[in-house]
Every structure is written in structure tokens, then in C-alpha cells.
Amino acid sequence: MKIIIHVLLMLITALFVCGVSNAQEHESGDGPAYMIIINEANPTTSMARSGVAKLFLKKSGKWGDGVKALPVDQHEESVIREAFSKNVLHKSVSSVISYWQQQVFSGRAIPPPEKATDEEILIYVKANRGAIGYVRGDTVAAGVKVIDVLD
Amino acid sequence: MANLLKTGMLLVIVSISSFTLAGEPGDVVIHGTGGWAVGHSDQYDYLQGEGAGDHQWRNVDLMLNLYSSPSENLRINTQLWYEIEGEETEAELEVAFVEWTLNEYLRFKCGLSRVPFGVYADIFDIGTLRPFYHLPQSVYGSVGIVPEGYAGIGLWGQTGDEWQIVYDLYVGGMIVPDLDVYRMFIDADGGDGGMEESEELESENDVRDIVGGHLVISTPLKGLSFGFSAFSGKPMPDEEGAEVDAANPAWGDHTVHGVQLEYRADSLMLRTEYTFADKDEDIKSYYVELAYAFYGKWQVAGRYEAVEIDPVAEIATNAQSLLDHEDRVIGLNYWLNPYAVIKFAYHDIEGNMLTHPEGSEIMEAVEADELDESNSMVSLGVQFSF
């Protein structure tokens, strides 16, 4: 019993030291600017922040005209996603991941597809009438519509 | 059955030439969760902790979730679960349902689904969504409160803005765990004699014609929600061919109610539940669970849980501790990322309802008045989801 406790204490101490150093490495400031984009055929010009959040968390599944909403996310390491999650979803990226784990395993819903680059997001939004995504603020958003988000 | 499930799962996986973790319409989406743990108990077996100085290292489980949406309003969900415990391997089909969405307020599902009850019943196996390796046994263990799934028809939906509501209603049948250990010591005369030996210390009840519901209300205060759960059905007799005697209270409806409160912020998490089961005996169970994350990857957690049973009859004086269970747990977790966590926990247990000698040794211990009511257990494990 003593041996096990000693091993566990050593393991916990090692992990603690490792965790403190990792936590310091991952501290970052505010994320870069981003813009929210939809398909050009979508008549929407502006949305409330809570409305955008409901689409991305799949609490609402359709646009006002009945078209199925198809949110598309940036990949998890993206600084854009960090800023979007914080400002629009009011959650950290890890909280959003936990939210989707809960939705998936309880059989409620699955997360939106993730794309690795802004270009892939643009292609997805252009190709899908109900799509909504977000890209870096200085991206040339040709062929998609940028909407205003009202807080 | 186990071999059939294994083969079926392999076929499913092999047949999926490409799968994703986040899907577009038509994709087959695969997710999974699992864990491994080892424990040490200083007295009797409890969860992963084995008494008598033994350590069972072969404690592994894995659950695979397959999801597909063949059309806009139709989706199919299955979950297959495997567990290795010592020399035994168990496989089970836990979820297999079809869901049709009318709109976000109204969705119908048919098949085998998770029971929407309390905080954890529909995320039973997901270690990355809780602070301890094990769920609170008072509510989610073998005590006999909450089953893992129901087979039948359900509907659910969500609505609201500032105040958000998620509801579930269902009818069907379920297998509910039952704890028989104290019944070995029922004495019809109310004295100390009359012990009957039984090898089955835990069993299951087939409960049919279930009607149940779950309501969770999220408040405008971010992360704060509360809810109510209930189901009621008719238990079937254990023995094949035995007839249900409606006049016997033991054959009365099996009814369970629960209330829940949850607060979840990025660093702080508080969960508490109180459940009341009205079956052949009355069972009250409750727990309070608190967890706090710091330095990004570390998390400390504490939990208190208890069960109170009002037995169907008097039981032997020496066996009274079989009616009690209290567990005080503290834990320390290290999150590698949101998908994997290493968990250490220390349990301080009072009462012998869930931790006691096995087999015939329990009879000997009670007869000799040697049941030790205090037990402690440490466990170390890792849990993951993808």
C-alpha cells in the first residue's frame, strides 16, 4: 500500500510540474479580428450574437426562410476559433469541445464540420446555401456575404 | 452474443471506408470513449479497488458511437460498448435508434436510447465529462435508481433564448439494476435469525410499460441549470412463469423521481442531485460534486454521496450496515487536453451496502458480527474521448 501511495505521489508531483510549465507556455492574448460570412443567396444581412451562437451550437437548425443552417468551424488550434468562441459563443474552445462531447454521446447532435484554412471555409460557404462560417478579418471574401453581428 | 457484437462492430468499422469526427450530410461519423483504471481497497472490493491486497490491472472499457444522417430530417445512432474486467470480457449494444426531426421543438426517436434522467444518465460512459473516474454510485451505481437505457419511443425538443428548455418524453421498457444484498438477512420475525444464503448479491429488474420524462431549464445566468426527471413502470417477476400479483406491494409500480442542479463555468463546476425510488423498498439517494480547474490543466474535485434504504422488512441486527452507503471522495486530475484526462481519487466509504465480503464470506462475517463498516479506496486511471 505504501509503495502504491509513493508511486502515485511521485506521479502527481511530476504531472504538476509539467502542468505548470505547460500552462505558462499556452497563455495568449486577445485573438485576431474575424468576420462572419454566409452564402450570397442568403437574404440575411445582420444577426444577433445569440442567434449566431444558436446556429453554431445547433440549438437552432434553420434560417428564417426555412433553409437548413450549415455552420462550419475552424480547426481547434485556430486563433480565429479561440476569439470566435470567446466573443460569440461566450465559451472557451475546451468548453465548446465538452459541449459537443455531451451532445454526441447523448445522441442529440454532432459538431459542425471543421476546416483547416480560411480558403476551405470560403469554398464550403460558397457551395452551400445554408452555410455560415467565420474567417480572418483581412480575408478577401469574394463570392460570400459578410454579415453584421449585433450584441 | 458477445462474439456476435464483436464481429458486428468489426464489420461496421471495416465497411466504413472513410469516416469523420464532425459530419456533413451523408457522412458516417464515428466517436468513441473509454478508460483504464487500477485501484486498491483496504478492506473489501469497491469499484476498481480490490481488497485483500489484490490489484486487478485489467480494467478497460471502450464505447464506439456511430452516427449517420441519410437525409436532412433523419438520423441513425448506435453505440457499442466493450469492457475487459480481469478474465471477463463483456460486450453490449447500448444505443440503436432512428430519429426523425420535425423541427427543433419536436423530434421523434424509436429504438434503444439512453435514459434521459438527471445529470449523467445520458452520458453514462463519458469520463471526459465528469471529474471522477466513477459516477456517483448512490444514483448511478447498482443501488437501483437509474438504468442506462430504454427501448421504446421517445420525443424531445428544445426551445427558448434567455431561459432555454430541453425536454424528453418516452415510453418503453428498461432493465433497472437492483441491489439484493441486504435481503439475504431479512428476518420475518424481526429478530436476528432467519438468514438465507444467496449467491446473487446484485441483480436486475425487467421493468415494462415505462412512462418517463426529463426537463432541464438553463437560466440566463450562464452555466446554471436545473431540472426534473421521473419514470414509472411495472416490474416483471424474477421467476419465469411466476404471475404478477397486483395486490402484493412488491409488484407495485417501479417509480423514480429526481431533481438536479448544475453550475458549469470554464473553471468551476458544481453538480448535485436528489433521487427518490419507490419500488418494493424506498431508496433516497443524493450527492454533491464540486470541481475546480487551475493552471489550465489541473483540476481538484470533491464529492459527498449517500443512500438511505427503507427495507421491505426488518433485517438482522448485525447486518444493519448493509442498508448504509456514504462515500466522501477527493480527486486530482490532469487534463492532457479536453479529450484525455488522468484521474486520481481517494474514497472514504462508510457502510456495507456497496462494499462487503463476497459470496459465502458475507454470511460468515454477519454471523460473527465482523462486518467492517469503514473502507477506503484509491484509484488511478485515464479516460478519453474522441
Side-chain angles (χ1 to χ4, degrees), chain A residues 37-41 122-123 125-128 140-146:
Chain A
I37 55 172
I38 59 175
N39 187 279
E40 273 192 328
L122 286 168
I123 291 167
V125 173
K126 279 182 202 171
N128 292 285
V140 179
V144 297
K145 187 195 285 187
V146 179

Side-chain angles (χ1 to χ4, degrees), chain A residues 32-66:
Chain A
Y34 56 87
M35 54 190 182
I36 294 172
I37 55 172
I38 59 175
N39 187 279
E40 273 192 328
N42 190 328
T44 306
T45 54
S46 65
M47 285 184 78
R49 180 207 60 79
S50 60
V52 177
K54 281 172 112 176
L55 291 180
F56 271 87
L57 297 175
K58 294 196 177 177
K59 290 181 176 178
S60 176
K62 290 190 173 174
W63 291 96
D65 57 3

Side-chain angles (χ1 to χ4, degrees), chain A residues 1-2 4-5 7-9 11-24 26-27 48-51 54 57-62 66-73 76-77 81 86 89-115 124 128, chain B residues 21-25 29 31-33 40 42 55 63-65 67 69 71-73 75 77 79 95 97 99 102-104 107 109 114 116 119 122-123 126 128-129 156-161 164 166-168 214 218 222 262 264-266 271 294-298 332 334 336 338-339 342 344 376 378-380 385-386:
Chain A
M1 180 63 180
K2 282 184 178 174
I4 292 175
I5 291 174
V7 170
L8 292 175
L9 286 173
L11 184 64
I12 290 162
T13 307
L15 290 173
F16 186 81
V17 172
C18 175
V20 170
S21 59
N22 278 347
Q24 288 167 345
H26 286 99
E27 281 178 359
R49 180 207 60 79
S50 60
K54 281 172 112 176
L57 297 175
K58 294 196 177 177
K59 290 181 176 178
S60 176
K62 290 190 173 174
V67 173
K68 185 178 182 182
L70 296 171
V72 56
D73 236 328
E76 286 167 21
E77 287 78 30
R81 178 157 174 180
K86 187 177 168 187
L89 307 183
H90 285 182
K91 293 172 186 279
S92 66
V93 174
S94 61
S95 291
V96 174
I97 291 168
S98 292
Y99 168 82
W100 283 117
Q101 286 179 1
Q102 179 145 17
Q103 295 295 304
V104 164
F105 292 113
S106 62
R108 305 279 194 197
I110 59 168
E114 292 177 3
K115 302 294 178 188
Y124 185 89
N128 292 285
Chain B
L21 294 177
E24 295 176 27
V29 182
H31 288 86
T33 185
H40 176 89
D42 73 350
H55 302 116
M63 190 266 278
L64 289 178
N65 182 89
Y67 169 105
S69 183
S71 68
E72 185 175 323
N73 294 322
R75 66 189 186 91
N77 209 121
Q79 290 181 359
V95 166
F97 69 79
E99 182 181 281
L102 188 65
N103 52 48
E104 59 252 40
R107 303 165 202 248
K109 57 179 6 179
R114 297 277 175 190
V119 172
D122 60 0
I123 47 170
I126 324 304
T128 50
L129 292 175
W156 72 279
Q158 55 189 340
T159 186
D161 197 0
Q164 293 183 6
V166 179
Y167 76 89
D168 283 271
H214 187 211
S218 299
K222 186 188 153 204
E262 182 176 19
R264 253 191 319 185
D266 282 344
R271 286 169 175 154
F294 58 102
Y295 289 139
K297 291 179 182 273
W298 287 93
L332 180 66
Y334 180 77
L336 302 166
Y339 301 103
I342 299 167
F344 170 77
S376 62
V378 290
S379 70
L380 177 69
S385 300
F386 58 87

